[in-house]
Amino acid sequence: MPLAEQPSIDATAEPSAIERVSRIYGLENWGFGYFGVNPSGHLSVTPHKIPGLAVDVYEAVRDQVGNQLSPPFLLRFPQILDERLASLHQAFATAIAEFDYGGRHIGAYPVKVNQRPEVLRRLVEAGQRYDYGLEVGSKAELIAALSMPLAEGSLIICNGLKDDLYLRLAMAAAKLGRKAVIVVEDLQDLQLTLKLARAQDLLPPIGLRVKLGARGSGKWEDSCGEFAKFGMSTIALVRALDLIKEWDAASQLAMLHFHVGSQVNDIRRAKQAFKEAARVYAKARKAGFDIAYLNVGGGLGVDYDGSRTASEFSMNYSVQEFANDIVYTLGEVCAGEEVSAPTIVTEHGRAMVAYHSMLVTDVRKVVTPGLVADGEFAEVESDAPPVLELVDIAEGINAKNFRERYHDAVQQRGDMNSLFELGYLGLRDKAKGEALFWKICRRVARLSRQMKHRPKELQDLDQMLASRFVCNFSMFQSIPDFWAFDQLFPIIPIHRLNETPTERGVLCDITCDSDGTVDRFVDTKHFKESLELHAPRPDEPYYLGILLLGAYQETLGDIHNLFGTVTELNVEVGTDGQRVVSQPIRGDNVRDVLGDFGYQPEALREALARRLAERKQAGLIGDQDEHEVLATSSRVLDDYTYLV
Ligand SMILES: *Cc1c(COP(=O)(O)O)cnc(C)c1O
């Protein structure tokens, strides 16, 4: 019985039980040293990767619920940002030392990947020691970047299409003591930039964005290559260099910029791109341009499924290998061409921020197809042949005959449906038959899991029988990439990880959209269509974490069904191992989302009040009714948009 009472938690569970359960969720594969399970069976986060300095995620959530806040929560672990930053820079430092590279490396954070001010500020502050900068793609991102406490040696890299004001603001950066490189995409932009700078008597550093012939790899490979939306072809590049010479502006050409596309999954493709980029740099340098920076863009992947392969949501290389390949390739090419090695600039976004945030949602109900209590419908005395057959099959099924009996059951159910359509079967008879059929399916599924080679038709039973775990969140707000292109994210209960999960389920969000179903889960072999979960206990919340949400998700979320932003918490671990949780940033209330969509919440409330007054006047409702409806409306406007 899937929903019956479960044995209570065994507090002294063997470590092996925890290991077994962790393996079910693939924690070791995708956890990257940040995620683990503590002896209480709770998900823990080790932001510095130092064992012992861990946060108990379940306890953090329970505290907030104790403070009258409700899930969903977005938990941020800012210390993971620090750790990511340190490990990226360490990887480049190691590579530079190993290959005796003649230049240095600096990074810049691409704001579009997660533009929340607290994320930007944290990265910029933690990045000061590395001269870490920012990459922006619009006026809005630029002005946000200019307000950040950047280090002296860091860059603001201005990408994207630019109008007059964008250019003016970028040129004004120097007056603020910031170094903003204006990266242009084509000749027209270049001309505009040179003209505007000349008119103001300014000499802003300029970058040229170059298209590579080599394509990136993975989901986003189209953002690179001959037909990419951004950048100059070789023809355009040659013309641009000529134009710069004509304007006598060679000293302003500070950067060549490339971007191989996001989530590069295959290192071989990236290597090819680095080679080409290095060659372009060396040739331009030889043509008399002392270009200081070679910007190889972003693209460093995140191993969402933990497979360490060139699959869509993984990558077949480590950060160190990626850094080695860049440094080694540039060093080699520059040595061969006898030009000095440039400062390497990288713009990794996804790999910086993906790990740092997770969504915690609570399961609100579990809907299990065809679930009936033992003995339910036993009193229905049906004499319809298919129903009688199903009774026989259910009784006679065993480890030897289950596959054959399953085929029989499918056939009998077909017959039963035909009888019903023709009017020969009552509702109760059909209910009994269906109950028997589901019972048979459950037995067959269980028995067939022991098979060495389980046929597809029996594997499909798992999906068919999977319970719908209805979770308090909106896919469209919190994991838009799952909806848009089946991006996989690790999902794991944040407690009870010392108990073997007994159920299999898919997750449904609370939007009224049938697309709002999570039915693809991380697995070492490709993906799985249902997830192992625990049967929720009555009167005890069951919390799930959806992990690795820091990159691109917060940016793209939308307000489907008017479910708004979720409540956010910063969670850190103190040097003594204590949990430090920030003051929560409350998610949108109903008033907020209505306001964002052009409603006027107060006018809305007044409209209700007028309507109530009219109905009271007409004698249809009383004072008390009017008062109550108004009070309820006010409470709704102030309430969280999610289930409370
Ligand atoms: C989006 C973007 C990046 C970030 O790419 P990631 O794959 O997230 O590292 C870097 N540079 C440019 C120009 C971009 O447009």
Side-chain angles (χ1 to χ4, degrees), residues 279-562:
R279 201 62 74 181
V280 174
Y281 163 82
K283 297 295 182 199
R285 185 108 205 176
K286 282 185 141 168
F289 297 90
D290 292 344
I291 302 164
Y293 302 101
L294 178 56
N295 185 338
V296 293
L300 189 55
V302 166
D303 195 1
Y304 290 97
D305 66 15
S307 68
R308 297 187 180 87
T309 62
S311 85
E312 215 174 346
F313 304 115
S314 183
M315 79 263 213
N316 62 1
Y317 55 88
S318 65
V319 177
Q320 187 64 60
E321 187 180 351
F322 200 83
N324 287 349
D325 283 345
I326 293 176
V327 172
Y328 174 78
T329 310
L330 299 197
E332 274 277 296
V333 172
C334 291
E337 298 262 9
E338 296 180 334
V339 296
S340 61
T343 295
I344 300 168
V345 181
T346 56
E347 300 172 337
H348 298 300
R350 184 188 298 276
M352 287 298 103
V353 296
Y355 287 96
H356 99 283
S357 71
M358 78 168 77
L359 185 83
V360 173
T361 171
D362 53 329
V363 173
R364 282 301 175 133
K365 60 175 151 189
V366 181
V367 183
T368 306
L371 186 64
V372 284
D374 265 346
E376 205 178 342
F377 301 115
E379 81 291 355
V380 180
E381 301 258 354
S382 178
D383 54 7
V387 179
L388 293 172
E389 287 288 340
L390 286 167
V391 172
D392 274 352
I393 296 169
E395 279 167 6
I397 207 161
N398 61 40
K400 286 219 179 78
N401 67 7
F402 65 85
R403 192 167 182 198
E404 189 186 335
R405 309 263 67 194
Y406 173 64
H407 294 151
D408 295 344
V410 171
Q411 158 129 46
Q412 294 303 332
R413 188 173 73 148
D415 291 355
M416 178 177 80
N417 288 344
S418 305
L419 278 190
F420 182 76
E421 276 163 32
L422 295 168
Y424 294 117
L425 202 66
L427 275 178
R428 286 193 161 270
D429 298 76
K430 184 161 183 274
K432 180 183 175 111
E434 282 181 9
L436 286 162
F437 178 74
W438 286 108
K439 189 173 161 189
I440 293 163
C441 291
R442 259 174 236 295
R443 288 279 326 263
V444 171
R446 206 169 318 133
L447 289 166
S448 65
R449 279 186 205 123
Q450 324 293 337
M451 294 170 87
K452 222 185 209 140
H453 300 290
R454 196 176 179 208
K456 173 92 170 64
E457 61 172 356
L458 300 183
Q459 284 178 34
D460 288 349
L461 279 175
D462 288 344
Q463 181 69 3
M464 194 171 111
L465 294 167
S467 299
R468 271 70 186 145
F469 279 66
V470 181
C471 297
N472 191 15
F473 81 111
S474 159
M475 176 191 287
F476 306 91
Q477 171 69 228
S478 294
I479 46 169
D481 281 357
F482 182 91
W483 171 71
F485 28 73
D486 291 333
Q487 159 91 52
L488 292 178
F489 298 100
I491 300 177
I492 184 169
I494 64 166
H495 55 142
R496 299 176 66 182
L497 295 169
N498 47 5
E499 275 177 64
T500 306
T502 53
E503 309 298 295
R504 289 194 80 103
V506 298
L507 311 186
C508 299
D509 73 0
I510 55 168
T511 66
C512 305
D513 194 315
S514 53
D515 270 355
T517 304
V518 183
D519 53 5
R520 291 158 58 101
F521 302 91
V522 162
D523 197 11
T524 41
K525 293 179 292 195
H526 207 31
F527 63 88
K528 52 191 175 192
E529 290 174 328
S530 62
L531 185 67
E532 295 85 347
L533 291 164
H534 301 88
R537 282 193 274 263
D539 306 322
E540 185 190 301
Y542 184 48
Y543 297 115
L544 303 179
I546 307 180
L547 277 60
L548 273 57
L549 296 187
Y552 297 104
Q553 303 316 296
E554 297 178 46
T555 305
L556 302 171
D558 91 358
I559 309 197
H560 203 18
N561 268 139
L562 297 185

Side-chain angles (χ1 to χ4, degrees), residues 110 112-113 135 159 209 257 259 261-263 297-300 347-351 552:
K112 74 164 188 292
V113 183
E135 185 267 348
N159 277 314
R209 181 151 179 182
H257 184 289
H259 175 50
S262 204
Q263 184 71 13
L300 189 55
E347 300 172 337
H348 298 300
R350 184 188 298 276
Y552 297 104

